[in-house]
Amino acid sequence: MKTALSLVISYLAFCVFGIALCAFLYMVCEGLVTFVVGQHMSFFSLDFFKKGLVFSIPAVCVVAQLRLILRVLKINRAKKARIAEIDRNLVVGLLLHMLFCSLSWFVLFPAVADFAASQMNSGIVAINPVSTGYFRENDSGIIYYYTEVHGDGSADGLLFDTNKKEPTSVDVVQFKNLPTAGVSAYPYSDVLVRNAIHAPKGVSDSFDVYSTILRMGKKSWEKGLPSWLSFASLGLVIVSIYGFQFASSWRLINSIFTFLVAAFAAFMNYLYYVGKLPSFVMDLDYTLPMFDKAALLLMNVSMFVFFSAFGIVMCVYRRRKAKAAVQDYYEDEDADEDEEKVEVDESSGFEGE
């Protein structure tokens, strides 16, 4: 009971604080997207915060489920518990892991999809008008300098074409009522902000993978239960990862394995959604039309079976090693006691048995 309560409190606390933090960071990032150099920047927006909640809840909940696995591993390694206590902690952790996965994939995530559909707009960020007094270069190498920006989005100013190999007397051209959209900064409002922010490729790629899965999850829920069940089969893979806490005798290695396997499963689902899996896999959608997203379903079920088998085998192996270690420990203690008894008998003039 104590272990279950500890895991539940840890899971819920991580979800609450993690979702709030991620939603806040999302709100700040959206503020940067709409920010224009030379204008006031507002870091607090309720609309952006709600979008951050929708965006971060699935990721935080999945990470919390993986963290629960590591919490069970930590509890069993933190003290020299008896094998029966370790087994009980493993069973309690597995049951809670399955419970949280079920609640997440069949209650919370659909509710998030409904909330996103009912509360959020199309997701297009409003482009703020650019400010005057700054040099802005578009992707074609033309530098714009706005002296006045009108209410309809057009502007007056000067432009300079940097593509010319030799300077001429008409390098600088004056313009009026030119649409400011000519300076492409998508998805940002200001090209100066876009050029100043360079996210590492690993971060941007991970963001793209997660965004794609999130978008496809929303579409699957809107299409109906069969489509959602195929999408939610990824949750089966998350359940099967529980066994990777036995992959190694080192807790750090097990922690790394747990997150790497989850990332691998998510990436394989992403490859399916973008159509980059081998053709013989993608063709399963046509050869098995009775299942919605048959290729995705079979892929996730196969990973579930493989990872579960691996976890069971490694669990049995580690448990046998633990039993053998305990048996050797008590045998060594008995041997030490016999030696001490012999020494006492010899000192008293009697022979030990």
Side-chain angles (χ1 to χ4, degrees):
M1 183 64 182
K2 183 179 179 180
T3 300
L5 184 61
S6 172
L7 293 175
V8 170
I9 293 176
S10 175
Y11 176 86
L12 294 178
F14 183 87
C15 286
V16 171
F17 289 105
I19 291 171
L21 177 61
C22 290
F24 174 79
L25 294 177
Y26 183 93
M27 180 180 64
V28 173
C29 291
E30 285 281 33
L32 286 174
V33 169
T34 59
F35 176 60
V36 172
V37 175
Q39 296 184 5
H40 175 70
M41 179 179 181
S42 176
F43 284 98
F44 298 96
S45 169
L46 181 59
D47 291 335
F48 287 161
F49 187 79
K50 289 193 297 183
K51 289 180 65 177
L53 290 177
V54 172
F55 187 80
S56 60
I57 283 177
V60 173
C61 288
V62 170
V63 172
Q65 292 158 16
L66 299 178
R67 183 176 175 273
L68 184 143
I69 301 174
L70 305 184
R71 284 285 299 171
V72 174
L73 180 61
K74 182 179 180 180
I75 290 174
N76 284 339
R77 293 288 183 89
K79 59 181 180 179
K80 293 183 178 180
R82 295 180 180 179
I83 293 181
E85 294 177 357
I86 294 176
D87 290 344
R88 184 169 63 250
N89 293 339
L90 290 175
V91 172
V92 170
L94 177 60
L95 292 177
L96 288 177
H97 181 56
M98 295 173 63
L99 174 63
F100 289 139
C101 281
S102 299
L103 291 176
S104 296
W105 290 90
F106 293 102
V107 178
L108 183 60
F109 295 171
V112 170
D114 286 336
F115 177 77
S118 61
Q119 299 294 329
M120 298 296 138
N121 52 28
S122 61
I124 301 176
V125 177
I127 303 299
N128 291 332
V130 295
S131 56
T132 59
Y134 293 90
F135 292 95
R136 293 177 172 86
E137 182 177 3
N138 69 359
D139 295 334
S140 301
I142 299 178
I143 298 176
Y144 292 84
Y145 183 87
Y146 301 112
T147 57
E148 184 179 359
V149 179
H150 307 296
D152 60 355
S154 63
D156 302 337
L158 306 172
L159 66 83
F160 174 73
D161 189 356
T162 61
N163 296 315
K164 295 181 178 180
K165 297 182 179 180
E166 296 182 0
T168 64
S169 58
V170 290
D171 283 342
V172 179
V173 178
Q174 185 176 8
F175 62 84
K176 288 187 177 182
N177 298 322
L178 182 71
T180 56
V183 183
S184 176
Y186 182 81
Y188 298 91
S189 293
D190 193 339
V191 69
L192 295 177
V193 177
R194 185 198 66 179
N195 294 339
I197 300 176
H198 298 283
K201 184 173 177 56
V203 174
S204 59
D205 290 345
S206 300
F207 184 86
D208 182 55
V209 170
Y210 176 66
S211 299
T212 301
I213 294 176
L214 198 64
R215 185 173 62 255
M216 298 309 299
K218 183 175 178 294
K219 290 183 178 180
S220 297
W221 177 249
E222 292 173 349
K223 289 178 64 177
L225 185 59
S227 181
W228 176 258
L229 289 176
S230 296
F231 171 80
S233 61
L234 177 59
L236 283 176
V237 184
I238 301 300
V239 170
S240 66
I241 294 176
Y242 189 81
F244 276 83
Q245 61 180 292
F246 309 107
S248 170
S249 58
W250 290 3
R251 197 173 78 187
L252 177 61
I253 298 298
N254 294 334
S255 303
I256 294 174
F257 262 119
T258 298
F259 283 96
L260 284 181
V261 173
F264 170 78
F267 184 68
M268 293 298 293
N269 279 251
Y270 165 77
L271 291 180
Y272 169 82
Y273 290 127
V274 296
K276 292 186 179 180
L277 288 176
S279 57
F280 70 89
V281 177
M282 300 299 297
D283 290 343
L284 291 174
D285 287 344
Y286 304 101
T287 56
L288 299 173
M290 69 288 298
F291 298 104
D292 187 75
K293 300 183 179 67
L296 178 68
L297 184 61
L298 289 176
M299 180 181 68
N300 285 334
V301 170
S302 299
M303 286 192 288
F304 167 76
V305 172
F306 177 78
F307 295 157
S308 298
F310 174 83
I312 293 172
V313 171
M314 294 305 299
C315 177
V316 173
Y317 172 71
R318 297 294 175 195
R319 195 174 184 278
R320 288 182 176 178
K321 286 195 66 176
K323 278 188 173 181
V326 171
Q327 185 176 357
D328 292 342
Y329 173 78
Y330 285 115
E331 288 178 354
D332 291 341
E333 278 195 342
D334 292 340
D336 292 340
E337 290 178 358
D338 291 342
E339 291 179 359
E340 291 178 358
K341 185 176 180 181
V342 169
E343 291 177 358
V344 171
D345 290 341
E346 289 178 349
S347 63
S348 61
F350 295 96
E351 293 184 359
E353 295 181 359

